[in-house]
Amino acid sequence: MKIIALEEEFVTEDLMQRMRGGETDFRYTLETSSLVTGEDLGKTFVDLGEDRIAAMDAAGIDVQVLSFCAPQVEDPARSVQLMREGNDRAAAAMQRYPSRYRAFASLPLADPAAAVAEFDRALHIPGFVGGFVAGSINGEFLDHDKYSPVLEYAESLNAPIYLHPYFPLPGLMDSYFKGRAELGGPEWGFMIDASCHFMRLVTSGTFDRFPRLRIILGHLGESIPYNLDRICNRLLAYAKAKPLRKPVEDYFRENLAVTTSGNFSVPSLLCAINTLGIENVMFSVDWPNESNKVAVDFLKHLPVARLDLEKIAHKNAERLLRLEVP
């Protein structure tokens, strides 16, 4: 059985140094990742060569879809430079290992027009399969009208956008997480950031304007499947007043797909399947923050039928990302 992993990250040496250079937001995140994997993140986060391939082989992973895990920056020129650098590194890795890597294109959203241009450039390079956004966009989200050209472009090419979480905006960090920074990252804050980002797209009517746009969330949907019934129920009056063109739950089942990245819980996965449908659930690891071997062992022991297991392991990814994998 083929295994494709969708949220597999890398950073540049410069970005890794800044992450390790005293930014308190990253302290517990990086230390926990090292404890979980037994790896030196200073090496694994930047590696796109033989060591990463060897780690995939040891666990039985056939393909990683790479993502350059850099947050947005405010300066448009720097944004273009940074995201282009990440995309070029991914392109070089795919050229070197064409059967093992695919990639999402990082988008310099400080300049939406430049983001469309970079999206287009990347998608004309063999191996790129969609877009990638880490966190909010300098205090804004993709539901803002200025980002409509990016979403229109993604929809026109059936190119999904992976919404990766990041630390919540400073106002939230300074209030709910004040004095409790250990809760602001993957433990809880990341979930708030990414789930709110997607739900803003739903309630803003973004999917009425772009009905074929697909968004991917990691970590089994950032808690959305577990809460979907209540979310939809309590949005009834708003949806009627907006008005939204479809029942609220339809947007979650038609425009959202989720991956298992970093959430290797059988009850949580079964909740995602039962809530969103098996066609919308895909395997991921969250390397190098999580263990390839733990993730694959979780996958292989899921209490689902063989056909459903194959959908999670590779078939859904091949369909959604239009992957051709040997």
Side-chain angles (χ1 to χ4, degrees):
M1 181 177 68
K2 283 186 292 188
I3 299 178
I4 299 173
L6 267 75
E7 188 183 315
E8 317 313 318
E9 302 157 10
F10 73 94
V11 295
T12 60
E13 292 275 4
D14 177 65
L15 185 56
M16 188 68 233
Q17 289 303 316
R18 286 191 282 130
M19 290 167 64
R20 302 184 79 184
E23 294 187 34
T24 56
D25 284 348
F26 283 100
R27 175 185 171 189
Y28 294 114
T29 297
L30 296 179
E31 288 182 7
T32 297
S33 295
S34 293
L35 288 172
V36 168
T37 64
E39 303 282 350
D40 177 0
L41 260 70
K43 295 180 179 179
T44 54
F45 233 135
V46 300
D47 172 55
L48 292 177
E50 292 297 331
D51 288 344
R52 181 176 287 240
I53 296 294
M56 293 165 60
D57 288 342
I61 294 172
D62 296 283
V63 175
Q64 280 191 354
V65 183
L66 303 171
S67 51
F68 177 48
C69 198
Q72 297 293 316
V73 295
E74 292 187 25
D75 179 67
R78 174 58 181 151
S79 180
V80 172
Q81 178 187 23
L82 178 65
M83 301 306 173
R84 190 180 185 101
E85 180 182 4
N87 292 336
D88 285 347
R89 282 207 66 210
M94 290 188 291
Q95 184 176 29
R96 185 179 180 188
Y97 303 100
S99 67
R100 307 305 301 274
Y101 292 144
R102 300 294 184 271
F104 293 110
S106 291
L107 307 177
L109 291 164
D111 181 342
V116 173
E118 180 61 13
F119 207 172
D120 181 70
R121 182 185 82 92
L123 289 183
H124 282 86
I125 298 173
F128 280 98
V129 294
F132 184 83
V133 179
S136 63
I137 308 156
N138 307 315
E140 297 176 337
F141 300 88
L142 286 173
D143 63 307
H144 195 292
D145 287 344
K146 72 165 73 171
Y147 304 115
S148 290
V150 178
L151 303 183
E152 181 179 17
Y153 179 81
E155 183 190 46
S156 71
L157 293 184
N158 293 317
I161 295 177
Y162 203 117
L163 285 186
H164 188 281
Y166 204 69
F167 294 96
L169 291 168
L172 194 58
M173 292 298 294
D174 292 342
S175 53
Y176 280 89
F177 297 112
K178 185 176 182 179
R180 295 268 64 90
E182 70 275 8
L183 298 176
E187 313 80 12
W188 197 250
F190 277 20
M191 178 191 70
I192 294 173
D193 172 77
S195 62
C196 286
H197 199 154
F198 181 79
M199 287 193 285
R200 289 179 66 100
L201 294 172
V202 171
T203 59
S204 66
T206 295
F207 296 118
D208 287 337
R209 291 183 290 126
F210 306 109
R212 292 180 291 105
L213 176 66
R214 296 300 301 272
I215 300 294
I216 305 172
L217 291 178
H219 316 110
L220 286 175
E222 311 292 356
S223 87
I224 286 176
Y226 180 82
N227 292 290
L228 186 59
D229 184 73
R230 179 164 174 79
I231 291 167
C232 296
N233 179 52
R234 301 317 303 172
L235 281 173
L236 285 174
Y238 176 82
K240 182 178 179 180
K242 175 69 180 173
L244 295 178
R245 296 177 186 171
K246 300 178 182 179
V248 175
E249 56 268 25
D250 286 4
Y251 300 106
F252 291 90
R253 294 177 177 129
E254 295 175 10
N255 300 101
L256 174 64
V258 304
T259 77
T260 65
S261 62
N263 193 343
F264 311 129
S265 161
V266 171
S268 297
L269 181 128
L270 295 178
C271 175
I273 291 173
N274 290 333
T275 303
L276 302 176
I278 187 66
E279 308 293 335
N280 292 321
V281 180
M282 299 176 289
F283 175 73
S284 292
V285 177
D286 203 352
W287 176 265
N289 294 295
E290 303 289 348
S291 164
N292 284 337
K293 292 181 180 179
V294 168
V296 171
D297 184 68
F298 163 76
L299 172 71
K300 290 184 175 180
H301 290 89
L302 288 177
V304 298
R306 177 70 182 188
L307 180 59
D308 287 344
L309 186 65
E310 291 176 349
K311 288 179 179 179
I312 296 169
H314 67 95
K315 288 184 176 180
N316 288 342
E318 289 169 334
R319 171 179 47 80
L320 181 61
L321 303 179
R322 294 174 295 157
L323 290 179
E324 295 182 5
V325 178

